[in-house]
């Protein structure tokens, strides 16, 4: 079994990378369960597909029980969970001296705890199955830090450690891990930046230079579409013109 008929749960699937990845995998024949907070967006993605191939559940990844309900829906309706794609994230970047402590908290809650809650929800199921694949959207910011990205990059560096620990702990249970680390991508992510000038600069860069959503979705599909023996642990992809 490669992509076709795999049961895939995706967080942060109401827009951007998560939405397009859900569509690409569903077109390849996977059974998909999508979660995020905006129900209208989730419903319209699910409605693109027939025969309840794509199900949705309103999910807040900062709430452990909410993430568990999302994963449980997949297991109840489709009988197993082959892939969890922990993709939800925020990027309200700012300099540390601006003391935007609420934004630091939100990034830690969504980008780190959200990923951990996904792992907590799916790990007992995958251990029981003796099979599974956990994917997360990391970032080039999980490898390189710049002034203004300290906390965002900190959350993505943290994910590197968590995912590699998970990989090493779960080798004998046949659970694969993949981090997909994009550079700039043209999405709505810049909306989460509260400083207007930074928001405009990032939005312009994303529009003019960013990777397309399909580029990231194809990377996720590649990681899933591998023989049992092959674990693609990391994919780092930048626009050709992005220096750092
Ligand atoms: P989007 O803003 O389009 O997507 C973010 C998704 O996360 C949305 O579906 C949003 O849904 C969801 N989300 C946010 N908070 C929560 C929450 N509390 N609970 C559940 N879902 C939540 O941006 P992207 O597609 O770009 O972002 C996806 C991932 O890609 C993030 O992890 C981001 O860090 C990463 N990334 C993005 C890059 C870029 O240049 N765009 C580069 C590198 C990495 P809703 O609001 O409906 O809850």
């Amino acid at each position: 079994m490669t992509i076709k008929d795999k049961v895939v749960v995706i967080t942060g699937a109401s827009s951007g990378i998560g939405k397009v990845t859900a569509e690409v995998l569903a077109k390849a024949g996977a059974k998909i369960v999508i979660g995020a907070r905006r129900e209208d967006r989730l419903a319209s993605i699910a409605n693109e597909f027939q025969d309840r191939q794509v199900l949705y559940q309103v999910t807040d990844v900062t709430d452990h029980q909410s993430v568990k309900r999302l994963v449980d829906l997949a297991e109840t309706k489709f009988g197993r969970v082959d892939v969890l794609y922990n993709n939800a994230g925020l990027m309200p970047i700012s300099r540390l001296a601006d003391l935007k402590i609420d934004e630091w908290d939100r990034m830690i809650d969504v980008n780190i705890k959200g990923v951990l809650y996904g792992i907590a929800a799916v790990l007992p199921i995958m251990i029981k199955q003796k099979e599974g694949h956990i994917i997360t959207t990391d970032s080039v910011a999980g490898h390189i830090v710049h002034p203004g990205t300290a906390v965002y990059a900190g959350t993505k560096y943290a994910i590197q450690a968590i995912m590699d620990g998970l990989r090493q702990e779960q080798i004998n249970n046949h659970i694969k891990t993949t981090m997909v680390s994009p550079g700039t991508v043209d999405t709505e992510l810049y909306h989460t930046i509260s400083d207007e000038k930074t928001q405009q600069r990032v939005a312009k860069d994303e529009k003019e230079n960013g990777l397309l959503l399909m580029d990231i979705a194809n990377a996720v599909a590649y990681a899933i579409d591998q023989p049992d023996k092959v674990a693609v642990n990391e994919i780092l992809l930048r626009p050709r013109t992005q220096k750092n």
Side-chain angles (χ1 to χ4, degrees), residues 12-18 35-38 59-62 87-90 110-111 137-140 152 156 182-189 206 213:
S14 58
S15 62
I17 293 168
R37 294 164 305 172
R38 287 171 293 178
T59 305
D60 183 341
V61 298
T62 67
N87 164 72
L90 304 174
V110 175
N111 300 2
T137 314
D138 201 80
S139 175
V140 166
Y152 178 68
K156 295 299 188 179
T184 305
V185 192
D186 183 13
T187 71
E188 298 172 21
L189 195 66
E206 287 189 359
L213 295 168

Side-chain angles (χ1 to χ4, degrees), residues 122-139:
V122 87
L123 210 44
I125 297 170
M126 290 183 175
I127 289 172
K128 194 175 61 190
Q129 292 173 177
K130 280 256 176 206
E131 193 171 37
H133 190 171
I134 300 178
I135 304 174
T136 196
T137 314
D138 201 80
S139 175

Side-chain angles (χ1 to χ4, degrees), residues 21-42:
T21 305
E23 292 166 340
V24 164
L25 296 178
K27 281 177 194 152
K31 295 168 185 152
I32 311 279
V33 177
I34 52 177
R37 294 164 305 172
R38 287 171 293 178
E39 184 166 15
D40 55 333
R41 300 268 197 126
L42 296 173

